[in-house]
């Protein structure tokens, strides 16, 4: 770390200030400072909105309370396929306090899937209690249409009603490689594994349900509070639903209770809120209840992958044939093209969409990747054991990008793989029936950025400094990133800078999806801060008797690089300004990068008597270009590992095959990992990645964990589980045989 | 294929005129209030209520004014007998306290945890009218952004929050845990927090924050 003593030329804390004397050339532009020169970035930065969140002051969409606001709720048919036999809102309208009750469907209408199509009416009332009475007073009756079409078997049965796009229940989405050629290559392998891997539909379970508070009181303008991953792009939907010009619709999302990919666009719940607001010309609070969140707010598609994989005895993946099905309900589902990460000599993959009469899938943290990873990591593992090779060595032999090699070595070391007794064959339980094992997996993500973000950096003569961009903060820490990058430029503390985000009236920002937020906004923030510094330095340099380019901004002061005794405090420096200055920052390609890697190890203990799996430890390492906030980055890595553990061991959506009713429509029945299920977690940032580029990464850590756990179970006791979640009954069945 | 069984009613909770278990429980509460019975668990309340109803106790319904002791101040509000404490805080107070979060409204997730007479409770499972003689502490009552409690400060320091929606519940549950155990082991912390759920995956940082807060409180500044 650079220090002030010695009187030499110090590297600047910010971009472009590399200490050279002639950096005012035409090439001058924002550049990330070297990691040794950073004083705030690349350290642990507690998030700037933490105090608001931990004291309950942070206002989420759910928390908006506006004068004259009414409470609204959807009335939803629970059956996937039904015909409406009765629908009458007359009694609801008569309930005291109810101000709106409308049916959106008619008797005789056919409801075609569980989800948005099941919205039959909505009610609004003065209080939540009156709303409850009003919803209960809506008369509905349905006859179920059989079969409910909620399972693969029902959907693919002869004579099944065809419900998907183009009136088919199954369509081939892509076919790559040559089936026969691959079959021939499999014949040449020393070991061939045939296996089917299945993963159920997973829910996002955002703790704040989907919804909006639409503040429209007539006229030509509206403000919409929306739990949203796309503040800037959100106005369009709401403007259409409100029949207003989109520049007159302001979307606000100061804080949001999770998104995970499910919160783009207004949704039907947002549209209905607008319809009610237009009818009443009063603010409308409409959030899905927890049950509706499960029924209609999206999911991660399920997957069934039938694989034949083959390896040579020297440890090469020779051939892989995959027939994959995606279960995205009425949606297409997601799955990256097999063989996914690994290099395979000859491969064939056919990917099919299979539709059921259920809620369409939506993007969910690393869409499709956890499904592809589980099948591929298990197949790779099975082949490694089949040829008697250490699964770490086998992976490295089939991964061309060497970043994974060092990462695998690191996560292997953290669980003492070298000292583990059984590396090429599964272990045996001890006298107590317990067996311990270790498993692995790797992750990839494209990341990258979009050029749409603009960030304004303002500095006032009184020392007030802010960064402003409309970006939302899903909990990843984007608000803190705005403040931190600006603060770094001027040697300030993160709390010295005010970050304005989450408001459609601010300069536009990118949506948050695919881990592109950091790459997109960081460069614009940096550029804005740089532009502001260029505007600030002339008057400050004059006051210090030097030239711009000879200033060092550090620890809340500004120094002259060749005369450190001459300095001003931040406030004194700003006081040299005659008026406020504004730096307008835009996306800068040279400040961003793409492509991240991760590796996972997991250590488990399996009770071979009861079948219970206890995860003891998970280690994950992630590269991320220039790490901005190490604390928040570790939080994201932990979150990924826990998400994968939860998916691997606990989560499963269950629909009753006879009626189609969702049996797991609450947090009591749809289990997610809680405090008791959390193992020792080691979240590592890969500091061997020296790219001086901004990029997001947080999709990646959720990809390989459940595969690594399944592989650890096999390593422990020889139980190969190919179907999530990894429950005790499956362990016992696998051990039996 | 359009085989049509008889109309499916009553529909599940909250849909199409159905009468749910929860609405029954909340309805039963009106009698508890009238009987002036002290606060108790919802299940116990139901039993008492049913007995009271059998004895012909008067039933109140509709809105009445009640007073709750929230964060050390007497707060008047209008509530119905079925109004939960969660709804009283978030909606019914003239100046609503929205720090306490509604996530499941069914006692599954702990996001609505508040402290009542020193014990952590799910406010979605408490009826406001039952709590008129109780001391209620919400996350707003523990501290402010400028003057955070040791638990709140430790949550910030360890980044024991991401989206922040489960955070108030975890802050309250952690505070109650430290009130009860002083300097608990991590196993005790996990046990005491096991009624709370987080989706972002903040658990390990919450465990760290609990240890830091315990040390900080042991060193003075108990709140």
């Amino acid at each position: 770390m650079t220090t002030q003593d010695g009187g030499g030329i110090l590297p600047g804390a910010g971009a472009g200030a590399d200490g050279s004397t002639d950096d005012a050339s035409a090439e001058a532009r924002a550049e990330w400072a070297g990691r040794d020169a950073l004083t705030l970035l690349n350290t642990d930065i507690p998030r700037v909105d933490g105090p608001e969140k931990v004291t309950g002051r942070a206002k989420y969409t759910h928390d908006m309370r506006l004068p004259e606001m009414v409470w609204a709720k959807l009335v939803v048919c629970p059956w996937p396929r039904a015909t409406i036999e009765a629908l009458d809102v007359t009694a609801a309208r008569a309930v005291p306090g109810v101000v709106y009750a409308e049916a959106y469907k008619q008797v005789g209408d056919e409801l075609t899937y569980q989800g948005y199509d099941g919205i039959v009416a909505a009610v609004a009332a003065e209080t939540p209690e009156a709303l409850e009475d009003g919803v209960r007073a809506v008369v509905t009756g349905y006859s179920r249409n059989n079969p409910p079409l909620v399972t693969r078997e029902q959907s693919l049965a002869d004579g099944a009603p065809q419900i998907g796009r183009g009136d088919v229940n199954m369509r081939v989405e892509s076919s790559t490689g040559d089936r026969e050629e691959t079959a021939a290559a499999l014949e040449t392998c020393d070991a061939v594994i045939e296996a089917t891997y299945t993963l159920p539909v997973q829910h996002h379970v955002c703790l704040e349900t989907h919804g909006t508070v639409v503040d429209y009181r007539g006229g030509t303008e509206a403000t919409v509070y929306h739990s949203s991953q796309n503040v800037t792009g959100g106005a369009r939907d709401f403007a259409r639903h409100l029949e207003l010009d989109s520049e007159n619709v302001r979307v606000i999302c100061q804080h949001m209770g999770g998104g995970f990919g499910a919160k783009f666009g207004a949704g039907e719940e947002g549209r209905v809120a607008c319809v009610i607001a237009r009818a009443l010309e009063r603010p409308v609070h409409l959030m899905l209840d927890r049950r509706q969140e499960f029924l209609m707010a999206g999911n991660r598609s399920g997957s069934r992958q039938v694989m034949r994989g083959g390896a040579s005895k020297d440890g090469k993946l020779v051939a892989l044939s995959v027939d994959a099905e995606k279960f995205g309900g009425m949606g297409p589902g997601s799955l990256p093209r097999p063989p996914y990460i690994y290099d395979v000599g000859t491969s064939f993959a056919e990917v099919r969409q299979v539709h059921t009469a259920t809620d369409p899938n939506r993007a969910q943290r690393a869409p499709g990747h956890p499904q592809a990873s589980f099948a591929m990591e298990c197949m790779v593992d099975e082949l490694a054991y089949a040829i008697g090779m250490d699964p770490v060595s086998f992976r490295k032999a089939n991964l061309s990008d060497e970043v994974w090699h060092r990462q695998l070595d690191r996560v292997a070391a953290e669980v003492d793989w070298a000292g583990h007794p059984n590396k090429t064959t599964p272990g045996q339980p001890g006298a107590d029936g317990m067996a311990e094992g270790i498993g692995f997996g790797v992750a990839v993500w494209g990341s990258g950025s979009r050029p749409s973000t603009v960030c304004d950096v303002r500095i006032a003569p009184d020392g007030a400094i802010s960064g402003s961009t409309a970006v939302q903060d899903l909990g990843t820490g984007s608000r803190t990133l705005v403040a931190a990058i600006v603060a770094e430029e001027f040697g300030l503390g993160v709390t010295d800078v005010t970050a304005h985000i989450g408001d459609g009236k601010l300069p536009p920002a990118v949506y948050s999806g695919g881990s592109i937020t950091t790459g997109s906004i960081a460069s614009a923030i940096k550029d804005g801060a740089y532009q502001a510094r260029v505007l600030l330095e002339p008057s400050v340099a004059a006051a210090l008797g030097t030239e711009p380019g000879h200033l060092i901004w550090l620890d809340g002061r500004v120094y002259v690089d060749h005369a450190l005794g001459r300095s001003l405090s931040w406030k004194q420096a700003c006081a040299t300004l005659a008026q406020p200055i504004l730096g307008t920052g835009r996306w800068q390609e040279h400040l961003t990068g793409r492509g991240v890697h991760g590796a996972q190890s997991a250590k488990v203990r399996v009770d071979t008597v009861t079948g219970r799996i206890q995860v003891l430890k998970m280690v994950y390492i992630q590269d991320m270009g220039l790490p901005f906030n190490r604390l928040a980055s570790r939080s994201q890595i932990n979150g990924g590992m826990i998400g994968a553990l939860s998916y691997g061991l606990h989560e499963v959506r269950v629909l009753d095959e006879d009626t189609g009713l969702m049996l797991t429509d609450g947090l009591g029945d749809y289990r997610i990992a809680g405090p008791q299920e959390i193992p020792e977690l080691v979240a590592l940032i890969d500091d061997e990645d020296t790219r001086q580029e901004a990029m997001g990464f947080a999709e990646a850590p959720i990809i390989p964990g459940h595969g690594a756990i399944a592989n650890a179970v096999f390593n422990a006791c020889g139980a190969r589980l190919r179907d999530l979640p990894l429950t005790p009954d499956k362990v016992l069945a696998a051990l039996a045989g | 294929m359009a085989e049509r069984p008889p109309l499916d009613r009553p529909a599940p909770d909250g849909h199409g005129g159905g009468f749910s278990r929860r609405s029954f429980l909340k309805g039963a509460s009106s009698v508890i209030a009238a009987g002036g019975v002290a606060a108790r668990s919802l299940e116990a309340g139901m039993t008492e209520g049913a007995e009271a109803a059998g004895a012909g106790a008067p039933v109140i319904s509709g809105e009445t004014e009640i007073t709750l002791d929230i964060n050390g101040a007497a707060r008047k509000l209008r509530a119905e007998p079925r109004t939960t404490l969660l709804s009283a805080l978030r909606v019914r107070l003239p100046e609503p306290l929205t720090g306490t979060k509604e996530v499941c409204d069914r006692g599954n997730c702990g996001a609505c945890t508040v402290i009542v007479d020193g014990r952590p409770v799910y406010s979605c499972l408490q009826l406001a009218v039952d709590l008129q003689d109780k001391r209620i502490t919400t996350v707003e009552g523990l501290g402010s952004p400028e003057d955070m409690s040791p638990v709140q400060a430790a949550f910030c320091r360890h980044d024991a929050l991401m989206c922040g929606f489960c955070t108030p519940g975890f802050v309250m549950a952690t505070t109650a845990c430290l009130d009860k155990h002083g300097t608990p082991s991590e196993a005790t912390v996990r046990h005491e927090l096991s009624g709370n759920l987080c989706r972002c995956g903040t658990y390990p940082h919450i465990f760290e924050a609990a240890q830091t807060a315990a040390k900080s409180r042991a060193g003075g500044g108990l709140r």
Side-chain angles (χ1 to χ4, degrees):
Chain A
M1 191 63 74
T2 304
T3 57
Q4 282 184 53
D5 47 37
I9 293 174
L10 299 175
D18 61 358
S20 63
T21 53
D22 57 353
D23 62 358
S25 69
E27 292 300 310
R29 60 179 187 176
E31 298 286 356
W32 298 116
R35 297 186 194 194
D36 286 350
L38 295 170
T39 57
L40 178 62
L41 298 177
N42 197 28
T43 68
D44 285 3
I45 310 171
R47 58 188 71 215
V48 293
D49 46 9
E52 277 182 78
K53 287 183 173 179
V54 300
T55 60
R57 267 65 168 188
K59 291 279 183 265
Y60 296 73
T61 302
H62 247 137
D63 302 331
M64 296 315 301
R65 302 289 179 264
L66 302 174
E68 301 297 305
M69 188 177 83
V70 298
W71 303 84
K73 187 167 178 170
L74 304 174
V75 179
V76 177
C77 171
W79 317 110
R81 300 176 61 244
T83 302
I84 299 177
E85 302 290 349
L87 179 58
D88 189 348
V89 296
T90 312
R93 287 177 178 157
V95 171
V98 168
V99 295
Y100 177 98
E102 285 292 339
Y104 301 136
K105 307 255 184 186
Q106 297 173 20
V107 171
D109 280 356
E110 209 170 308
L111 305 176
T112 57
Y113 70 92
Q114 189 173 55
Y116 281 160
D117 199 41
I119 299 171
V120 297
V123 178
E126 301 285 357
T127 66
E129 289 86 352
L131 179 61
E132 200 174 314
D133 292 345
V135 168
R136 202 181 300 147
V138 174
V139 175
T140 59
Y142 309 101
S143 55
R144 286 187 278 115
N145 294 334
N146 288 327
L149 288 178
V150 295
T151 66
R152 173 183 186 271
E153 289 65 34
Q154 288 172 350
S155 179
L156 300 182
D158 287 343
Q162 300 295 299
I163 57 171
R165 189 162 59 90
D167 293 328
V168 292
N169 288 355
M170 181 193 283
R171 68 164 61 232
V172 175
E173 181 184 87
S174 68
S175 184
T176 48
D178 186 293
R179 190 186 287 275
E180 273 65 46
E181 203 177 296
T182 305
L186 281 163
E187 294 296 322
T188 70
C189 294
D190 296 315
V192 173
I193 297 287
E194 292 191 40
T196 299
Y197 305 97
T198 54
L199 300 94
V201 169
Q202 181 188 30
H203 288 285
H204 299 73
V205 198
C206 304
L207 291 198
E208 182 180 39
T209 58
H210 285 60
T212 50
V213 175
V214 176
D215 186 2
Y216 177 70
R217 307 169 203 222
T220 59
E221 296 184 353
T223 299
V224 177
Y225 301 88
H226 188 210
S227 189
S228 171
Q229 296 178 226
N230 188 8
V231 166
T232 294
R236 244 185 348 258
D237 271 7
F238 289 106
R240 192 172 71 248
H241 299 323
L242 289 165
E243 298 179 25
L244 299 175
D245 293 335
S246 52
E247 57 267 29
N248 290 337
V249 176
R250 176 183 185 182
V251 173
I252 294 178
C253 179
Q254 286 298 301
H255 302 279
M256 64 185 293
F260 308 109
K263 289 182 176 171
F264 295 100
E268 279 297 285
E269 62 280 5
R271 189 185 64 78
V272 170
C274 291
V275 166
I276 299 173
R278 274 171 49 78
L280 300 178
E281 300 197 346
R282 293 173 62 177
V284 174
H285 185 291
L286 195 164
M287 308 297 294
L288 298 185
D289 67 20
R290 182 53 52 188
R291 182 165 181 279
Q292 294 168 351
E293 182 78 7
F294 278 105
L295 284 174
M296 59 176 63
N299 54 73
R300 181 191 294 287
S301 53
S303 172
R304 179 173 186 272
Q305 296 168 66
V306 181
M307 287 189 169
R308 289 179 71 215
S312 59
K313 59 175 179 278
D314 63 347
K316 282 288 180 188
L317 285 167
V318 175
L320 180 73
S321 179
V322 183
D323 282 278
E325 293 170 352
K326 302 183 293 179
F327 308 109
M330 296 298 282
S334 342
L335 194 74
R337 185 177 299 169
Y340 194 43
I341 297 178
Y342 289 91
D343 304 328
V344 179
T346 305
S347 68
F348 167 79
E350 184 168 291
V351 178
R352 297 186 283 272
Q353 303 173 2
V354 176
H355 296 292
T356 53
T358 52
D359 192 23
N361 69 296
R362 300 188 189 183
Q364 182 169 348
R365 195 169 178 180
H369 285 242
Q371 298 96 308
S373 171
F374 178 72
M376 199 60 206
E377 292 293 352
C378 289
M379 170 55 76
V380 163
D381 223 59
E382 296 201 45
L383 286 169
Y385 288 103
I387 61 166
M389 192 167 168
D390 166 341
V392 173
S393 305
F394 186 73
R395 279 178 171 77
K396 291 198 293 195
N398 293 284
L399 288 166
S400 53
D401 191 333
E402 294 198 348
V403 173
W404 282 306
H405 297 202
R406 71 168 187 246
Q407 290 187 335
L408 278 165
D409 287 341
R410 181 72 191 277
V411 298
E414 288 283 337
V415 292
D416 191 23
W417 177 244
H420 189 62
N422 37 300
K423 293 195 189 64
T424 55
T425 52
Q428 294 289 328
D432 58 357
M434 297 292 181
E436 289 189 4
I438 292 171
F440 298 91
V442 294
V444 68
W445 193 250
S447 184
S449 62
R450 301 283 182 278
S452 51
T453 301
V454 176
C455 180
D456 283 351
V457 176
R458 284 190 172 75
I459 302 173
D462 66 356
I465 177 167
S466 64
S468 302
T469 182
V471 71
Q472 50 287 328
D473 188 339
L474 281 72
T476 51
S478 53
R479 179 181 272 106
T480 306
L481 189 63
V482 172
I485 291 174
V486 175
E488 178 74 46
E489 189 79 10
F490 296 99
L492 298 172
V494 69
T495 54
D496 295 330
V497 178
T498 305
H500 299 291
I501 67 161
D503 185 335
K505 288 301 175 203
L506 296 171
V510 70
Y511 62 88
S512 290
S515 295
I516 60 166
T517 312
T518 294
S520 301
I521 69 170
S523 70
I525 303 162
K526 172 70 185 175
D527 185 47
Y530 171 77
Q531 301 296 342
R533 190 164 60 79
V534 167
L535 293 172
L536 175 58
E537 288 205 348
S539 59
V540 175
L544 286 168
T546 185
E547 299 291 322
H550 289 277
L551 300 176
I552 296 168
W553 303 85
L554 196 67
D555 294 339
R557 298 191 71 82
V558 53
Y559 300 86
V560 178
D561 60 9
H562 52 273
L564 290 179
R566 302 217 302 270
S567 72
L568 296 175
S569 71
W570 169 252
K571 275 192 180 295
Q572 289 168 330
C574 295
T576 64
L577 290 170
Q579 58 196 17
I581 54 172
L582 167 65
T584 297
R586 294 191 164 76
W587 175 79
Q588 302 288 318
E589 187 173 16
H590 73 280
L591 296 177
T592 72
R594 68 190 317 279
V596 296
H597 315 67
Q600 176 82 59
S601 61
K603 186 172 183 181
V604 305
R605 178 185 293 144
V606 182
D607 184 335
T608 58
V609 177
T610 66
R612 180 170 175 264
I613 298 167
Q614 185 189 2
V615 182
L616 300 173
K617 183 173 183 177
M618 295 176 80
V619 181
Y620 181 89
I621 186 165
Q622 176 72 54
D623 64 4
M624 58 184 76
L626 180 56
F628 289 108
N629 184 347
R630 299 182 73 89
L631 181 60
S633 296
R634 290 200 304 277
S635 286
Q636 287 293 311
I637 294 171
N638 283 335
M641 284 194 278
I642 291 168
L645 179 149
S646 188
Y647 187 29
L649 296 184
H650 305 300
E651 296 182 38
V652 57
R653 182 185 77 178
V654 181
L655 299 167
D656 179 66
E657 287 183 25
D658 293 332
T659 64
L661 202 65
M662 186 181 287
L663 304 179
T664 48
D665 60 357
L667 286 167
D669 299 310
Y670 187 88
R671 281 205 65 208
I672 64 172
Q676 297 281 33
E677 281 96 29
I678 306 306
E680 178 188 357
L681 294 172
V682 179
L684 300 171
I685 295 169
D686 184 354
D687 285 311
E688 291 183 51
D689 177 13
T690 56
R691 289 175 290 178
Q692 286 288 94
E693 296 166 348
M695 63 195 75
F697 69 86
E699 319 269 327
I702 206 167
I703 293 172
H706 46 302
I709 291 169
N711 291 337
V713 170
F714 178 80
N715 177 259
C717 62
R720 176 56 71 181
L721 306 188
R722 303 183 180 94
D723 174 44
L724 290 191
L726 310 175
T727 48
D729 54 319
K730 295 174 190 172
V731 174
L732 294 180
L735 287 172
Chain B
M1 294 307 293
E3 173 199 334
R4 292 192 178 177
L7 294 190
D8 289 300
R9 299 195 52 199
D13 181 10
H15 295 271
F19 192 73
S20 71
R21 193 171 70 99
R22 181 170 173 82
S23 63
F24 170 75
L25 294 174
K26 288 167 82 173
S29 70
S30 59
V31 215
I32 309 170
V37 182
R40 59 181 56 78
S41 75
L42 192 57
E43 290 72 18
M46 181 180 67
T47 309
E48 289 282 334
E51 286 169 359
V59 174
I60 59 165
S61 61
E63 285 189 9
T64 49
E65 185 173 277
I66 63 171
T67 303
L68 296 177
D69 175 353
I70 302 171
N71 299 330
R75 308 280 189 110
K76 284 191 198 314
L77 61 140
R78 296 188 64 77
E80 295 188 32
R82 60 177 157 169
T83 302
T84 60
L85 174 58
L86 176 61
S87 186
L89 294 168
R90 290 182 52 81
V91 178
R92 290 289 184 158
L93 280 176
E95 292 175 20
L97 292 171
T98 56
T100 306
K101 296 296 183 242
E102 178 184 323
V103 168
C104 70
D105 202 30
R106 290 293 185 281
N108 295 143
C109 75
C112 67
T113 302
V114 299
I115 295 176
V116 175
D117 280 356
R119 294 182 54 232
V121 302
Y122 292 159
S123 61
C124 73
L125 296 185
Q126 301 287 323
L127 295 163
V129 289
D130 279 349
L131 304 174
Q132 295 195 76
D133 51 351
K134 304 290 177 186
R135 281 179 39 245
I136 300 160
T137 305
T138 73
V139 70
E140 293 93 343
L142 291 185
S144 64
E146 298 74 31
D147 182 22
M148 290 187 281
S149 76
V151 170
Q152 290 169 326
F155 266 60
C156 289
R157 180 175 148 195
H158 291 280
D159 206 37
L161 64 149
M162 284 189 256
C163 86
F165 216 68
C166 72
T167 306
F170 270 103
V171 166
M172 299 311 290
T174 304
T175 301
C177 170
L178 300 189
D179 285 345
K180 184 174 170 187
H181 298 285
T183 53
S185 66
E186 187 178 305
T188 300
V189 170
R190 285 170 184 256
H191 176 76
E192 293 286 349
L193 299 186
S194 62
N196 292 61
L197 292 172
C198 163
R199 188 52 158 169
C200 296
T202 55
Y203 300 117
H205 286 176
I206 291 173
F207 304 150
E208 290 173 16
Q211 298 301 332
T212 295
K215 288 189 194 106
S216 151
R217 284 160 51 117
L222 279 171
R223 191 187 286 267

